[in-house]
């Protein structure tokens, strides 16, 4: 039975395994998916998770619950020797081992792309995982708790300042969602006014959201300005030591929250740890039929899709001739990849990937959004409804759809959940504070042995008894 190894369980990996289960006949192939996380994260929901509009667990899809006939391995693939069709799997505990395969599907996704800017690695946080989104949310709410007990001054301003780096879709969405969250928090903290909160978005280019028209992006800028947000265009971050964000303009912004959303790069652990061909931007070179290789030739038994791959965009709308790294392409590529892989196993020819971008939709906080498809642009409440409608339906499985929609329905009547659970990152702090501990063993002090009295000469002893006898005689008299 052919062995299919899927490296990565994100969009592309999960959908590939999901669709392979549908298309493969029983006993036709054995599918194994390896990912360090036990779930797929629906990344378009991360800004809303950070703003408390969606429950964190509802934004992820359990691998083991929804993949019925796939061997799910929670581990990392740290090496690919495709020449011998062997992958090195490293589990969270135990020794690494080799896994032999016949077909490999590389869908390891992308990670935050950063630059060697002083202080960023130590003080910033990305927006690629559900854990990061939850941490951002809890940090913002915790800062309000702390700031409410401080007098006006630099320390208070630092806690109430948020800096987001990157003006693409992810950056703008989390920036607007956090602005919306903070505006709602102000009503719960009488010690803090709207004017006390400060939001700054830093973008190196001269515009934001290149996925939409210039006119639409300008509308977003005006909308953010109305909500008290500051956008710095043509500006770069030059430092962030101790949370002091230094800009290329010379301005310094002290903050306690730095969100880095300035682009992504292909997962370097998988890309650099293998022998598959890589293009100049560090992605796996992939053909339009999703086999690894070039137009002239392909690597037998190797496939790739999603953010880790450089797939030609046959519509002509891609950046540099390749599909842009987004969920829309990853999901559709994975569905076609599953069909193509099954076709090759059965001796048929694979089909080429062709998908014209349907448009872009973004949420800008509660009841506000933007939508662009061709020359059609929607703004405000209508676009927000389109945003939630699209992503609500795009969430895989009806079980997850229902959880997300049910949460939105509750929030409509009850408002967003603003409980701060930052201490969950240190869950044992109360237990450790009050837990009884054994007393330190007292140092054993050896008891000194009584010194033996020195023997005295007989005449000395008789001399000592004489006074005693005199005293006794006198007492008797």
């Amino acid at each position: 039975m052919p062995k299919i190894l899927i490296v990565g369980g994100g969009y592309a990996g999960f959908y590939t395994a999901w669709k392979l289960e549908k298309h493969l006949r029983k006993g036709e192939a054995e599918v194994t998916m390896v990912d360090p996380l036990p779930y797929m994260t629906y990344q378009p929901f991360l800004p809303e998770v950070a703003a408390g509009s969606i429950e964190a667990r509802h934004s992820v899809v359990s691998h083991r619950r929804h993949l019925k006939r796939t061997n799910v391995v929670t581990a990392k693939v740290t090496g690919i020797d495709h020449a011998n069709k062997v992958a090195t799997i490293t589990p969270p505990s135990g020794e690494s081992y080799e896994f032999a395969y016949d077909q490999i599907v590389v869908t390891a996704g992308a990670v935050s792309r950063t630059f060697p800017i002083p202080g960023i690695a130590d003080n910033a946080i990305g927006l690629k995982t559900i854990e990061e989104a939850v941490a951002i949310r809890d940090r913002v709410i915790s800062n309000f708790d702390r700031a409410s007990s401080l007098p006006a001054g630099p320390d208070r301003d630092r806690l109430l300042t948020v800096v987001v780096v990157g003006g693409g879709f992810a950056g703008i969405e989390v920036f607007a969602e956090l602005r919306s969250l903070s505006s709602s928090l102000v009503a719960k903290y009488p010690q803090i006014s709207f004017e006390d909160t400060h939001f700054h978005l830093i973008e190196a280019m001269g515009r934001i959201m290149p996925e939409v028209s210039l006119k639409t992006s300008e509308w977003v800028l005006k909308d953010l300005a109305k909500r008290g947000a500051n956008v710095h265009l043509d500006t770069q971050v030059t430092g962030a030591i101790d949370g002091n964000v230094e800009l290329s303009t010379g301005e310094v912004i002290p903050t306690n929250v730095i969100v880095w959303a300035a682009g992504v790069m292909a997962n370097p652990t998988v890309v650099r740890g293998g022998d598959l061909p890589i293009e100049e931007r560090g992605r796996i070179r992939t053909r339009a039929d999703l086999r690894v290789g070039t137009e002239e030739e392909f690597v037998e038994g190797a496939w790739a899709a999603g953010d880790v791959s450089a797939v030609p965009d046959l519509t002509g709308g891609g950046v540099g001739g390749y599909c842009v790294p987004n969920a829309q392409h990853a999901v559709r590529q994975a569905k076609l990849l599953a069909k193509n892989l099954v076709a090759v196993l059965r001796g048929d020819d694979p089909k080429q990937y062709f998908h014209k971008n349907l448009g872009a939709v973004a949420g800008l906080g509660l009841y506000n959004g933007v939508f662009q498809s061709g020359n059609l642009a929607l703004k405000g409440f209508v676009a927000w409804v389109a945003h939630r409608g699209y992503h609500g339906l795009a969430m895989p499985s009806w079980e997850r759809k229902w959880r997300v929609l049910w949460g939105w329905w509750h929030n409509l009547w009850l408002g967003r959940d603003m409980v701060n659970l930052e201490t969950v990152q240190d869950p044992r702090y109360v237990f450790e504070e009050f837990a009884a501990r054994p007393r330190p063993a007292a140092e054993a002090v050896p008891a000194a042995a009584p010194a033996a009295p020195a023997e005295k000469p007989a005449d000395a002893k008789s001399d000592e008894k004489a006074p005693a006898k005199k005293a006794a005689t006198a007492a008797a008299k």
Side-chain angles (χ1 to χ4, degrees):
M1 187 186 301
K3 290 186 177 181
I4 301 173
L5 174 63
I6 301 175
V7 182
Y11 284 119
F14 175 82
Y15 270 94
T16 298
W18 208 23
K19 295 305 177 182
L20 281 174
E21 291 189 352
K22 177 182 177 181
H23 300 308
L24 286 171
R25 304 186 188 104
K26 186 177 181 180
E28 190 172 8
E30 177 185 312
V31 181
T32 300
M33 186 180 74
V34 182
D35 191 276
L37 296 174
Y39 50 77
M40 181 209 93
T41 302
Y42 191 77
Q43 293 182 359
F45 282 159
L46 293 183
E48 289 199 62
V49 172
S53 297
I54 296 180
E55 166 60 34
R57 285 186 176 87
H58 298 170
S59 302
V60 299
V61 182
S62 170
H63 290 156
R64 297 182 185 276
R65 175 166 184 169
H66 295 281
L67 298 176
K68 309 295 185 183
R69 294 186 289 116
T70 300
N71 300 321
V72 177
V73 179
T74 305
K76 291 182 178 179
V77 172
T78 53
I80 298 175
D81 180 8
H82 191 69
N84 297 304
K85 292 192 174 180
V86 172
T88 302
I89 297 179
T90 304
S93 58
E95 299 294 328
S96 300
Y97 60 93
E98 292 187 341
F99 183 92
Y101 61 83
D102 298 292
Q103 302 280 338
I104 189 169
V105 179
V106 184
T107 54
V111 298
S112 296
R113 180 192 62 186
T114 57
F115 306 100
I117 300 172
I120 286 296
D122 300 320
N123 298 295
I125 185 170
L127 192 68
K128 290 293 293 179
T129 68
I130 196 70
E131 294 83 1
E132 289 174 325
V134 172
I136 292 169
R137 170 185 176 275
D138 288 341
R139 172 70 66 84
V140 170
I141 299 176
S142 179
N143 284 352
F144 267 76
D145 291 333
R146 294 161 61 189
S148 64
S149 61
L150 291 177
D155 292 340
R156 192 168 185 261
D157 289 341
R158 178 187 290 272
L159 291 171
L160 298 176
T161 300
V162 174
V163 174
V164 175
V165 184
F169 252 64
I172 289 294
E173 282 194 286
V174 71
F175 184 66
E177 290 285 356
L178 292 178
R179 173 71 272 183
S180 176
L181 169 64
S182 296
S183 297
S184 63
L185 287 175
V186 167
K188 308 298 180 183
Y189 293 83
Q191 306 89 344
I192 301 174
S193 67
F194 180 86
E195 290 72 21
D196 293 331
T197 60
H198 313 285
F199 278 74
H200 298 270
L201 183 132
I202 317 301
E203 171 53 47
M205 296 176 59
R207 59 164 295 181
I208 61 171
M209 304 175 74
E211 300 90 343
V212 302
S213 67
L214 181 60
K215 184 178 180 181
T216 301
S217 69
E218 290 174 347
W219 178 88
V220 174
L221 286 175
K222 293 178 182 177
D223 181 74
L224 291 173
K226 291 178 183 177
R227 295 154 65 183
N230 303 287
V231 178
H232 306 257
L233 299 177
D234 294 315
T235 305
Q236 297 178 340
V237 175
T238 59
I241 298 175
D242 296 329
N244 296 310
V245 179
E246 302 173 13
L247 306 182
S248 56
T249 58
E251 185 178 359
V252 177
I253 306 173
T255 179
N256 190 248
V257 180
I258 306 172
V259 181
W260 185 271
V264 298
M265 64 178 182
N267 189 321
T269 302
V270 173
V271 171
R272 297 171 188 169
D275 56 357
L276 296 175
I278 302 171
E279 48 92 61
E280 56 273 9
R281 295 191 63 183
R283 299 172 296 180
I284 295 176
R285 193 176 295 279
T286 311
R287 294 155 48 98
D289 60 9
L290 303 177
R291 288 186 286 191
V292 174
T294 62
E295 291 185 12
E296 294 75 25
E297 59 180 351
F298 63 88
V299 178
E300 190 275 328
W303 307 75
D307 295 356
V308 78
S309 64
V311 179
D313 190 339
L314 301 183
T315 68
V319 177
Y322 296 100
C323 295
V324 297
N326 62 22
Q328 193 176 136
H329 281 303
V331 171
R332 285 169 173 79
Q333 288 171 6
K335 292 179 179 179
L336 179 63
L337 192 156
K339 292 181 179 179
N340 282 352
L341 204 163
V342 173
V344 169
L345 289 178
R346 296 174 182 171
D348 298 327
D349 294 329
K351 296 181 180 179
Q352 292 188 326
Y353 176 73
F354 184 95
H355 172 70
K356 189 173 183 180
N357 202 319
L358 298 177
V361 60
L364 302 176
L366 284 180
Y367 315 120
N368 195 14
V370 61
F371 170 81
Q372 179 90 44
S373 180
N375 294 325
L376 174 64
L378 303 176
K379 310 175 187 72
F381 179 75
V382 175
W384 177 79
V385 172
H387 161 75
R388 285 208 161 177
Y390 173 78
H391 288 298
L393 293 175
M395 186 73 175
S397 85
W398 281 103
E399 178 257 338
R400 293 332 255 176
K401 285 181 175 66
W402 179 252
R403 291 183 188 274
V404 171
L405 294 173
W406 194 241
W408 281 339
W409 176 254
H410 281 170
N411 287 349
L412 180 63
W413 303 103
L414 304 177
R416 75 173 89 218
D417 193 340
M418 299 193 305
V419 176
N420 173 19
L421 294 178
E422 186 177 35
T423 52
V424 78
Q425 298 170 40
D426 184 20
R428 298 183 65 250
Y429 78 101
V430 173
F431 182 83
E432 287 181 331
E433 181 179 354
F434 298 103
R437 291 178 171 83
R439 294 181 179 277
E443 294 183 6
V445 179
E455 292 189 7
K456 298 179 181 179
D459 57 347
K461 291 181 180 178
S462 60
D463 290 343
E464 288 178 358
K465 293 179 180 179
K469 288 181 179 179
K470 292 180 180 179
T473 306
K477 290 180 178 180

